PDB file of all heavy atoms in Angstrom:
ATOM      1  N   LEU Q 233      42.690  21.667  20.311  1.00 98.00           N
ATOM      2  CA  LEU Q 233      41.599  21.926  19.373  1.00 98.00           C
ATOM      3  C   LEU Q 233      41.614  23.338  18.798  1.00 98.00           C
ATOM      4  O   LEU Q 233      41.311  23.537  17.610  1.00 98.00           O
ATOM      5  CB  LEU Q 233      40.250  21.668  20.057  1.00 98.00           C
ATOM      6  CG  LEU Q 233      39.936  20.217  20.402  1.00 98.00           C
ATOM      7  CD1 LEU Q 233      38.649  20.131  21.218  1.00 98.00           C
ATOM      8  CD2 LEU Q 233      39.826  19.376  19.135  1.00 98.00           C
ATOM      9  N   ALA Q 234      41.937  24.337  19.619  1.00 98.00           N
ATOM     10  CA  ALA Q 234      41.840  25.735  19.160  1.00 98.00           C
ATOM     11  C   ALA Q 234      42.687  25.974  17.924  1.00 98.00           C
ATOM     12  O   ALA Q 234      42.266  26.673  16.987  1.00 98.00           O
ATOM     13  CB  ALA Q 234      42.251  26.679  20.286  1.00 98.00           C
ATOM     14  N   ALA Q 235      43.871  25.390  17.872  1.00 97.00           N
ATOM     15  CA  ALA Q 235      44.775  25.606  16.736  1.00 97.00           C
ATOM     16  C   ALA Q 235      44.285  24.919  15.467  1.00 97.00           C
ATOM     17  O   ALA Q 235      44.797  25.211  14.371  1.00 97.00           O
ATOM     18  CB  ALA Q 235      46.180  25.117  17.088  1.00 97.00           C
ATOM     19  N   LEU Q 236      43.317  24.029  15.574  1.00 98.00           N
ATOM     20  CA  LEU Q 236      42.836  23.282  14.414  1.00 98.00           C
ATOM     21  C   LEU Q 236      41.683  23.981  13.702  1.00 98.00           C
ATOM     22  O   LEU Q 236      41.344  23.611  12.572  1.00 98.00           O
ATOM     23  CB  LEU Q 236      42.386  21.885  14.845  1.00 98.00           C
ATOM     24  CG  LEU Q 236      43.402  21.055  15.647  1.00 98.00           C
ATOM     25  CD1 LEU Q 236      42.789  19.710  16.014  1.00 98.00           C
ATOM     26  CD2 LEU Q 236      44.684  20.869  14.857  1.00 98.00           C
ATOM     27  N   GLN Q 237      41.086  24.965  14.334  1.00 97.00           N
ATOM     28  CA  GLN Q 237      39.937  25.638  13.725  1.00 97.00           C
ATOM     29  C   GLN Q 237      40.356  26.353  12.443  1.00 97.00           C
ATOM     30  O   GLN Q 237      41.390  27.004  12.390  1.00 97.00           O
ATOM     31  CB  GLN Q 237      39.321  26.625  14.708  1.00 97.00           C
ATOM     32  CG  GLN Q 237      38.615  25.942  15.863  1.00 97.00           C
ATOM     33  CD  GLN Q 237      37.870  26.920  16.748  1.00 97.00           C
ATOM     34  OE1 GLN Q 237      38.466  27.796  17.360  1.00 97.00           O
ATOM     35  NE2 GLN Q 237      36.552  26.756  16.817  1.00 97.00           N
ATOM     36  N   GLY Q 238      39.527  26.201  11.422  1.00 97.00           N
ATOM     37  CA  GLY Q 238      39.829  26.787  10.123  1.00 97.00           C
ATOM     38  C   GLY Q 238      40.661  25.894   9.236  1.00 97.00           C
ATOM     39  O   GLY Q 238      40.694  26.090   8.018  1.00 97.00           O
ATOM     40  N   ARG Q 239      41.337  24.920   9.805  1.00 98.00           N
ATOM     41  CA  ARG Q 239      42.165  24.006   9.022  1.00 98.00           C
ATOM     42  C   ARG Q 239      41.499  22.640   8.835  1.00 98.00           C
ATOM     43  O   ARG Q 239      41.697  21.990   7.812  1.00 98.00           O
ATOM     44  CB  ARG Q 239      43.525  23.789   9.707  1.00 98.00           C
ATOM     45  CG  ARG Q 239      44.334  25.056   9.893  1.00 98.00           C
ATOM     46  CD  ARG Q 239      45.669  24.754  10.567  1.00 98.00           C
ATOM     47  NE  ARG Q 239      46.372  25.993  10.894  1.00 98.00           N
ATOM     48  CZ  ARG Q 239      47.572  26.056  11.434  1.00 98.00           C
ATOM     49  NH1 ARG Q 239      48.215  24.939  11.731  1.00 98.00           N
ATOM     50  NH2 ARG Q 239      48.129  27.228  11.699  1.00 98.00           N
ATOM     51  N   TYR Q 240      40.767  22.217   9.842  1.00 98.00           N
ATOM     52  CA  TYR Q 240      40.182  20.876   9.835  1.00 98.00           C
ATOM     53  C   TYR Q 240      38.685  20.958  10.082  1.00 98.00           C
ATOM     54  O   TYR Q 240      38.187  21.882  10.723  1.00 98.00           O
ATOM     55  CB  TYR Q 240      40.829  19.998  10.911  1.00 98.00           C
ATOM     56  CG  TYR Q 240      42.281  19.694  10.650  1.00 98.00           C
ATOM     57  CD1 TYR Q 240      43.291  20.482  11.224  1.00 98.00           C
ATOM     58  CD2 TYR Q 240      42.660  18.628   9.842  1.00 98.00           C
ATOM     59  CE1 TYR Q 240      44.629  20.199  10.983  1.00 98.00           C
ATOM     60  CE2 TYR Q 240      43.991  18.349   9.608  1.00 98.00           C
ATOM     61  CZ  TYR Q 240      44.973  19.133  10.171  1.00 98.00           C
ATOM     62  OH  TYR Q 240      46.284  18.851   9.940  1.00 98.00           O
ATOM     63  N   ASP Q 241      38.001  19.928   9.575  1.00 98.00           N
ATOM     64  CA  ASP Q 241      36.559  19.817   9.757  1.00 98.00           C
ATOM     65  C   ASP Q 241      36.191  18.774  10.802  1.00 98.00           C
ATOM     66  O   ASP Q 241      35.063  18.752  11.300  1.00 98.00           O
ATOM     67  CB  ASP Q 241      35.901  19.427   8.424  1.00 98.00           C
ATOM     68  CG  ASP Q 241      36.347  20.335   7.295  1.00 98.00           C
ATOM     69  OD1 ASP Q 241      35.917  21.501   7.270  1.00 98.00           O
ATOM     70  OD2 ASP Q 241      37.163  19.890   6.452  1.00 98.00           O
ATOM     71  N   ALA Q 242      37.147  17.902  11.121  1.00 98.00           N
ATOM     72  CA  ALA Q 242      36.894  16.805  12.061  1.00 98.00           C
ATOM     73  C   ALA Q 242      38.174  16.518  12.836  1.00 98.00           C
ATOM     74  O   ALA Q 242      39.270  16.923  12.427  1.00 98.00           O
ATOM     75  CB  ALA Q 242      36.433  15.553  11.310  1.00 98.00           C
ATOM     76  N   VAL Q 243      38.029  15.819  13.942  1.00 98.00           N
ATOM     77  CA  VAL Q 243      39.188  15.414  14.743  1.00 98.00           C
ATOM     78  C   VAL Q 243      39.069  13.933  15.079  1.00 98.00           C
ATOM     79  O   VAL Q 243      37.983  13.439  15.408  1.00 98.00           O
ATOM     80  CB  VAL Q 243      39.327  16.236  16.046  1.00 98.00           C
ATOM     81  CG1 VAL Q 243      39.695  17.672  15.723  1.00 98.00           C
ATOM     82  CG2 VAL Q 243      38.067  16.181  16.887  1.00 98.00           C
ATOM     83  N   ASN Q 244      40.192  13.230  14.976  1.00 98.00           N
ATOM     84  CA  ASN Q 244      40.253  11.816  15.335  1.00 98.00           C
ATOM     85  C   ASN Q 244      40.683  11.714  16.793  1.00 98.00           C
ATOM     86  O   ASN Q 244      41.802  12.081  17.149  1.00 98.00           O
ATOM     87  CB  ASN Q 244      41.254  11.089  14.434  1.00 98.00           C
ATOM     88  CG  ASN Q 244      41.223   9.580  14.624  1.00 98.00           C
ATOM     89  OD1 ASN Q 244      40.751   9.076  15.635  1.00 98.00           O
ATOM     90  ND2 ASN Q 244      41.747   8.859  13.645  1.00 98.00           N
ATOM     91  N   ILE Q 245      39.780  11.251  17.631  1.00 98.00           N
ATOM     92  CA  ILE Q 245      40.043  11.131  19.065  1.00 98.00           C
ATOM     93  C   ILE Q 245      40.462   9.696  19.360  1.00 98.00           C
ATOM     94  O   ILE Q 245      39.679   8.757  19.182  1.00 98.00           O
ATOM     95  CB  ILE Q 245      38.813  11.530  19.888  1.00 98.00           C
ATOM     96  CG1 ILE Q 245      38.452  13.004  19.611  1.00 98.00           C
ATOM     97  CG2 ILE Q 245      39.061  11.306  21.379  1.00 98.00           C
ATOM     98  CD1 ILE Q 245      37.222  13.488  20.331  1.00 98.00           C
ATOM     99  N   LYS Q 246      41.707   9.536  19.786  1.00 98.00           N
ATOM    100  CA  LYS Q 246      42.253   8.231  20.162  1.00 98.00           C
ATOM    101  C   LYS Q 246      42.672   8.287  21.626  1.00 98.00           C
ATOM    102  O   LYS Q 246      43.361   9.214  22.038  1.00 98.00           O
ATOM    103  CB  LYS Q 246      43.466   7.872  19.298  1.00 98.00           C
ATOM    104  CG  LYS Q 246      43.171   7.699  17.818  1.00 98.00           C
ATOM    105  CD  LYS Q 246      44.447   7.389  17.057  1.00 98.00           C
ATOM    106  CE  LYS Q 246      44.182   7.202  15.567  1.00 98.00           C
ATOM    107  NZ  LYS Q 246      45.438   6.984  14.802  1.00 98.00           N
ATOM    108  N   LEU Q 247      42.315   7.273  22.378  1.00 98.00           N
ATOM    109  CA  LEU Q 247      42.617   7.281  23.802  1.00 98.00           C
ATOM    110  C   LEU Q 247      44.116   7.249  24.082  1.00 98.00           C
ATOM    111  O   LEU Q 247      44.575   7.775  25.094  1.00 98.00           O
ATOM    112  CB  LEU Q 247      41.916   6.115  24.498  1.00 98.00           C
ATOM    113  CG  LEU Q 247      40.481   6.382  24.970  1.00 98.00           C
ATOM    114  CD1 LEU Q 247      39.561   6.763  23.815  1.00 98.00           C
ATOM    115  CD2 LEU Q 247      39.925   5.187  25.711  1.00 98.00           C
ATOM    116  N   ASP Q 248      44.890   6.644  23.173  1.00 98.00           N
ATOM    117  CA  ASP Q 248      46.331   6.643  23.368  1.00 98.00           C
ATOM    118  C   ASP Q 248      46.938   8.026  23.171  1.00 98.00           C
ATOM    119  O   ASP Q 248      48.055   8.279  23.634  1.00 98.00           O
ATOM    120  CB  ASP Q 248      47.001   5.642  22.417  1.00 98.00           C
ATOM    121  CG  ASP Q 248      46.952   4.225  22.954  1.00 98.00           C
ATOM    122  OD1 ASP Q 248      47.271   4.037  24.137  1.00 98.00           O
ATOM    123  OD2 ASP Q 248      46.584   3.308  22.197  1.00 98.00           O
ATOM    124  N   LYS Q 249      46.240   8.915  22.504  1.00 98.00           N
ATOM    125  CA  LYS Q 249      46.710  10.306  22.384  1.00 98.00           C
ATOM    126  C   LYS Q 249      46.184  11.160  23.526  1.00 98.00           C
ATOM    127  O   LYS Q 249      46.932  11.967  24.095  1.00 98.00           O
ATOM    128  CB  LYS Q 249      46.261  10.913  21.045  1.00 98.00           C
ATOM    129  CG  LYS Q 249      46.879  10.288  19.809  1.00 98.00           C
ATOM    130  CD  LYS Q 249      46.531  11.060  18.549  1.00 98.00           C
ATOM    131  CE  LYS Q 249      45.041  11.165  18.314  1.00 98.00           C
ATOM    132  NZ  LYS Q 249      44.696  11.959  17.125  1.00 98.00           N
ATOM    133  N   THR Q 250      44.910  11.014  23.868  1.00 98.00           N
ATOM    134  CA  THR Q 250      44.330  11.864  24.916  1.00 98.00           C
ATOM    135  C   THR Q 250      44.829  11.490  26.304  1.00 98.00           C
ATOM    136  O   THR Q 250      44.752  12.288  27.238  1.00 98.00           O
ATOM    137  CB  THR Q 250      42.790  11.766  24.933  1.00 98.00           C
ATOM    138  OG1 THR Q 250      42.408  10.434  25.303  1.00 98.00           O
ATOM    139  CG2 THR Q 250      42.193  12.129  23.585  1.00 98.00           C
ATOM    140  N   GLY Q 251      45.337  10.265  26.434  1.00 98.00           N
ATOM    141  CA  GLY Q 251      45.743   9.805  27.746  1.00 98.00           C
ATOM    142  C   GLY Q 251      44.605   9.197  28.527  1.00 98.00           C
ATOM    143  O   GLY Q 251      44.577   9.254  29.751  1.00 98.00           O
ATOM    144  N   GLY Q 252      43.658   8.583  27.808  1.00 98.00           N
ATOM    145  CA  GLY Q 252      42.592   7.861  28.479  1.00 98.00           C
ATOM    146  C   GLY Q 252      41.198   8.356  28.163  1.00 98.00           C
ATOM    147  O   GLY Q 252      41.000   9.379  27.485  1.00 98.00           O
ATOM    148  N   LEU Q 253      40.226   7.623  28.679  1.00 98.00           N
ATOM    149  CA  LEU Q 253      38.821   7.939  28.430  1.00 98.00           C
ATOM    150  C   LEU Q 253      38.401   9.238  29.099  1.00 98.00           C
ATOM    151  O   LEU Q 253      37.573   9.972  28.555  1.00 98.00           O
ATOM    152  CB  LEU Q 253      37.955   6.779  28.927  1.00 98.00           C
ATOM    153  CG  LEU Q 253      36.446   6.942  28.780  1.00 98.00           C
ATOM    154  CD1 LEU Q 253      36.044   7.095  27.328  1.00 98.00           C
ATOM    155  CD2 LEU Q 253      35.712   5.761  29.422  1.00 98.00           C
ATOM    156  N   THR Q 254      38.958   9.541  30.261  1.00 98.00           N
ATOM    157  CA  THR Q 254      38.551  10.744  30.993  1.00 98.00           C
ATOM    158  C   THR Q 254      38.744  11.985  30.138  1.00 98.00           C
ATOM    159  O   THR Q 254      37.813  12.788  29.950  1.00 98.00           O
ATOM    160  CB  THR Q 254      39.343  10.869  32.303  1.00 98.00           C
ATOM    161  OG1 THR Q 254      39.096   9.707  33.100  1.00 98.00           O
ATOM    162  CG2 THR Q 254      38.931  12.113  33.074  1.00 98.00           C
ATOM    163  N   GLU Q 255      39.938  12.155  29.581  1.00 98.00           N
ATOM    164  CA  GLU Q 255      40.206  13.319  28.736  1.00 98.00           C
ATOM    165  C   GLU Q 255      39.515  13.195  27.383  1.00 98.00           C
ATOM    166  O   GLU Q 255      39.073  14.196  26.809  1.00 98.00           O
ATOM    167  CB  GLU Q 255      41.710  13.488  28.545  1.00 98.00           C
ATOM    168  CG  GLU Q 255      42.130  14.562  27.544  1.00 98.00           C
ATOM    169  CD  GLU Q 255      41.737  15.982  27.948  1.00 98.00           C
ATOM    170  OE1 GLU Q 255      41.407  16.211  29.138  1.00 98.00           O
ATOM    171  OE2 GLU Q 255      41.758  16.868  27.079  1.00 98.00           O
ATOM    172  N   ALA Q 256      39.383  11.974  26.867  1.00 98.00           N
ATOM    173  CA  ALA Q 256      38.725  11.795  25.565  1.00 98.00           C
ATOM    174  C   ALA Q 256      37.280  12.272  25.604  1.00 98.00           C
ATOM    175  O   ALA Q 256      36.789  12.883  24.640  1.00 98.00           O
ATOM    176  CB  ALA Q 256      38.789  10.327  25.150  1.00 98.00           C
ATOM    177  N   LEU Q 257      36.580  12.000  26.688  1.00 98.00           N
ATOM    178  CA  LEU Q 257      35.194  12.455  26.816  1.00 98.00           C
ATOM    179  C   LEU Q 257      35.122  13.985  26.838  1.00 98.00           C
ATOM    180  O   LEU Q 257      34.258  14.587  26.193  1.00 98.00           O
ATOM    181  CB  LEU Q 257      34.563  11.877  28.079  1.00 98.00           C
ATOM    182  CG  LEU Q 257      34.276  10.370  28.046  1.00 98.00           C
ATOM    183  CD1 LEU Q 257      33.976   9.866  29.451  1.00 98.00           C
ATOM    184  CD2 LEU Q 257      33.130  10.039  27.099  1.00 98.00           C
ATOM    185  N   LEU Q 258      36.035  14.609  27.567  1.00 98.00           N
ATOM    186  CA  LEU Q 258      36.080  16.074  27.601  1.00 98.00           C
ATOM    187  C   LEU Q 258      36.403  16.640  26.228  1.00 98.00           C
ATOM    188  O   LEU Q 258      35.814  17.640  25.795  1.00 98.00           O
ATOM    189  CB  LEU Q 258      37.118  16.533  28.628  1.00 98.00           C
ATOM    190  CG  LEU Q 258      36.839  16.190  30.092  1.00 98.00           C
ATOM    191  CD1 LEU Q 258      38.040  16.558  30.955  1.00 98.00           C
ATOM    192  CD2 LEU Q 258      35.584  16.891  30.580  1.00 98.00           C
ATOM    193  N   MET Q 259      37.337  16.007  25.526  1.00 98.00           N
ATOM    194  CA  MET Q 259      37.724  16.482  24.204  1.00 98.00           C
ATOM    195  C   MET Q 259      36.576  16.344  23.205  1.00 98.00           C
ATOM    196  O   MET Q 259      36.339  17.234  22.386  1.00 98.00           O
ATOM    197  CB  MET Q 259      38.942  15.704  23.705  1.00 98.00           C
ATOM    198  CG  MET Q 259      39.488  16.190  22.369  1.00 98.00           C
ATOM    199  SD  MET Q 259      40.993  15.282  21.907  1.00 98.00           S
ATOM    200  CE  MET Q 259      41.365  16.054  20.326  1.00 98.00           C
ATOM    201  N   ALA Q 260      35.844  15.236  23.296  1.00 98.00           N
ATOM    202  CA  ALA Q 260      34.719  15.040  22.375  1.00 98.00           C
ATOM    203  C   ALA Q 260      33.640  16.092  22.597  1.00 98.00           C
ATOM    204  O   ALA Q 260      33.071  16.634  21.636  1.00 98.00           O
ATOM    205  CB  ALA Q 260      34.150  13.636  22.554  1.00 98.00           C
ATOM    206  N   GLU Q 261      33.356  16.387  23.852  1.00 98.00           N
ATOM    207  CA  GLU Q 261      32.356  17.412  24.144  1.00 98.00           C
ATOM    208  C   GLU Q 261      32.807  18.772  23.634  1.00 98.00           C
ATOM    209  O   GLU Q 261      32.026  19.525  23.020  1.00 98.00           O
ATOM    210  CB  GLU Q 261      32.097  17.463  25.645  1.00 98.00           C
ATOM    211  CG  GLU Q 261      31.392  16.230  26.184  1.00 98.00           C
ATOM    212  CD  GLU Q 261      31.310  16.222  27.701  1.00 98.00           C
ATOM    213  OE1 GLU Q 261      31.759  17.221  28.315  1.00 98.00           O
ATOM    214  OE2 GLU Q 261      30.818  15.238  28.265  1.00 98.00           O
ATOM    215  N   ALA Q 262      34.076  19.120  23.863  1.00 98.00           N
ATOM    216  CA  ALA Q 262      34.594  20.407  23.403  1.00 98.00           C
ATOM    217  C   ALA Q 262      34.620  20.475  21.889  1.00 98.00           C
ATOM    218  O   ALA Q 262      34.282  21.511  21.291  1.00 98.00           O
ATOM    219  CB  ALA Q 262      35.997  20.629  23.968  1.00 98.00           C
ATOM    220  N   ALA Q 263      35.019  19.390  21.230  1.00 98.00           N
ATOM    221  CA  ALA Q 263      35.062  19.376  19.769  1.00 98.00           C
ATOM    222  C   ALA Q 263      33.678  19.603  19.182  1.00 98.00           C
ATOM    223  O   ALA Q 263      33.510  20.349  18.206  1.00 98.00           O
ATOM    224  CB  ALA Q 263      35.642  18.055  19.280  1.00 98.00           C
ATOM    225  N   GLY Q 264      32.676  18.975  19.764  1.00 98.00           N
ATOM    226  CA  GLY Q 264      31.312  19.180  19.292  1.00 98.00           C
ATOM    227  C   GLY Q 264      30.870  20.621  19.432  1.00 98.00           C
ATOM    228  O   GLY Q 264      30.245  21.181  18.523  1.00 98.00           O
ATOM    229  N   ARG Q 265      31.180  21.236  20.555  1.00 98.00           N
ATOM    230  CA  ARG Q 265      30.818  22.643  20.762  1.00 98.00           C
ATOM    231  C   ARG Q 265      31.511  23.548  19.748  1.00 98.00           C
ATOM    232  O   ARG Q 265      30.952  24.579  19.338  1.00 98.00           O
ATOM    233  CB  ARG Q 265      31.186  23.088  22.177  1.00 98.00           C
ATOM    234  CG  ARG Q 265      30.341  22.483  23.273  1.00 98.00           C
ATOM    235  CD  ARG Q 265      30.519  23.242  24.579  1.00 98.00           C
ATOM    236  NE  ARG Q 265      31.918  23.295  25.006  1.00 98.00           N
ATOM    237  CZ  ARG Q 265      32.491  22.404  25.799  1.00 98.00           C
ATOM    238  NH1 ARG Q 265      31.793  21.364  26.231  1.00 98.00           N
ATOM    239  NH2 ARG Q 265      33.750  22.533  26.169  1.00 98.00           N
ATOM    240  N   MET Q 266      32.712  23.178  19.324  1.00 98.00           N
ATOM    241  CA  MET Q 266      33.489  24.002  18.400  1.00 98.00           C
ATOM    242  C   MET Q 266      33.159  23.715  16.943  1.00 98.00           C
ATOM    243  O   MET Q 266      33.740  24.323  16.044  1.00 98.00           O
ATOM    244  CB  MET Q 266      34.980  23.791  18.662  1.00 98.00           C
ATOM    245  CG  MET Q 266      35.420  24.246  20.051  1.00 98.00           C
ATOM    246  SD  MET Q 266      37.100  23.714  20.510  1.00 98.00           S
ATOM    247  CE  MET Q 266      38.088  24.809  19.486  1.00 98.00           C
ATOM    248  N   GLY Q 267      32.241  22.794  16.689  1.00 98.00           N
ATOM    249  CA  GLY Q 267      31.793  22.541  15.324  1.00 98.00           C
ATOM    250  C   GLY Q 267      32.553  21.466  14.588  1.00 98.00           C
ATOM    251  O   GLY Q 267      32.328  21.268  13.385  1.00 98.00           O
ATOM    252  N   PHE Q 268      33.436  20.738  15.255  1.00 98.00           N
ATOM    253  CA  PHE Q 268      34.149  19.638  14.612  1.00 98.00           C
ATOM    254  C   PHE Q 268      33.291  18.378  14.606  1.00 98.00           C
ATOM    255  O   PHE Q 268      32.587  18.084  15.574  1.00 98.00           O
ATOM    256  CB  PHE Q 268      35.445  19.305  15.364  1.00 98.00           C
ATOM    257  CG  PHE Q 268      36.515  20.352  15.294  1.00 98.00           C
ATOM    258  CD1 PHE Q 268      36.827  21.106  16.409  1.00 98.00           C
ATOM    259  CD2 PHE Q 268      37.220  20.572  14.123  1.00 98.00           C
ATOM    260  CE1 PHE Q 268      37.825  22.070  16.371  1.00 98.00           C
ATOM    261  CE2 PHE Q 268      38.224  21.534  14.061  1.00 98.00           C
ATOM    262  CZ  PHE Q 268      38.525  22.286  15.186  1.00 98.00           C
ATOM    263  N   GLU Q 269      33.367  17.634  13.507  1.00 98.00           N
ATOM    264  CA  GLU Q 269      32.865  16.270  13.539  1.00 98.00           C
ATOM    265  C   GLU Q 269      33.873  15.421  14.302  1.00 98.00           C
ATOM    266  O   GLU Q 269      35.056  15.756  14.379  1.00 98.00           O
ATOM    267  CB  GLU Q 269      32.670  15.719  12.129  1.00 98.00           C
ATOM    268  CG  GLU Q 269      31.427  16.254  11.436  1.00 98.00           C
ATOM    269  CD  GLU Q 269      31.064  15.442  10.219  1.00 98.00           C
ATOM    270  OE1 GLU Q 269      31.936  15.254   9.352  1.00 98.00           O
ATOM    271  OE2 GLU Q 269      29.897  15.014  10.123  1.00 98.00           O
ATOM    272  N   ILE Q 270      33.408  14.322  14.850  1.00 98.00           N
ATOM    273  CA  ILE Q 270      34.261  13.469  15.658  1.00 98.00           C
ATOM    274  C   ILE Q 270      34.470  12.132  14.964  1.00 98.00           C
ATOM    275  O   ILE Q 270      33.535  11.539  14.426  1.00 98.00           O
ATOM    276  CB  ILE Q 270      33.638  13.248  17.047  1.00 98.00           C
ATOM    277  CG1 ILE Q 270      33.587  14.574  17.816  1.00 98.00           C
ATOM    278  CG2 ILE Q 270      34.420  12.201  17.853  1.00 98.00           C
ATOM    279  CD1 ILE Q 270      32.736  14.521  19.051  1.00 98.00           C
ATOM    280  N   MET Q 271      35.716  11.694  14.985  1.00 98.00           N
ATOM    281  CA  MET Q 271      36.068  10.343  14.560  1.00 98.00           C
ATOM    282  C   MET Q 271      36.625   9.623  15.778  1.00 98.00           C
ATOM    283  O   MET Q 271      37.480  10.159  16.486  1.00 98.00           O
ATOM    284  CB  MET Q 271      37.115  10.373  13.452  1.00 98.00           C
ATOM    285  CG  MET Q 271      37.523   9.014  12.926  1.00 98.00           C
ATOM    286  SD  MET Q 271      38.697   9.184  11.554  1.00 98.00           S
ATOM    287  CE  MET Q 271      38.843   7.483  11.033  1.00 98.00           C
ATOM    288  N   ALA Q 272      36.123   8.429  16.062  1.00 98.00           N
ATOM    289  CA  ALA Q 272      36.656   7.613  17.148  1.00 98.00           C
ATOM    290  C   ALA Q 272      37.672   6.660  16.542  1.00 98.00           C
ATOM    291  O   ALA Q 272      37.319   5.796  15.741  1.00 98.00           O
ATOM    292  CB  ALA Q 272      35.542   6.827  17.834  1.00 98.00           C
TER     293      ALA Q 272
END
Side-chain angles (χ1 to χ4, degrees):
L233 292 173
L236 307 179
Q237 290 187 297
R239 300 180 187 183
Y240 293 95
D241 309 288
V243 292
N244 188 340
I245 299 178
K246 296 178 180 176
L247 273 60
D248 278 313
K249 294 188 302 178
T250 65
L253 179 61
T254 301
E255 173 64 16
L257 289 166
L258 295 173
M259 184 176 179
E261 291 172 3
R265 290 195 303 269
M266 296 169 74
F268 292 109
E269 284 195 307
I270 295 168
M271 181 177 186

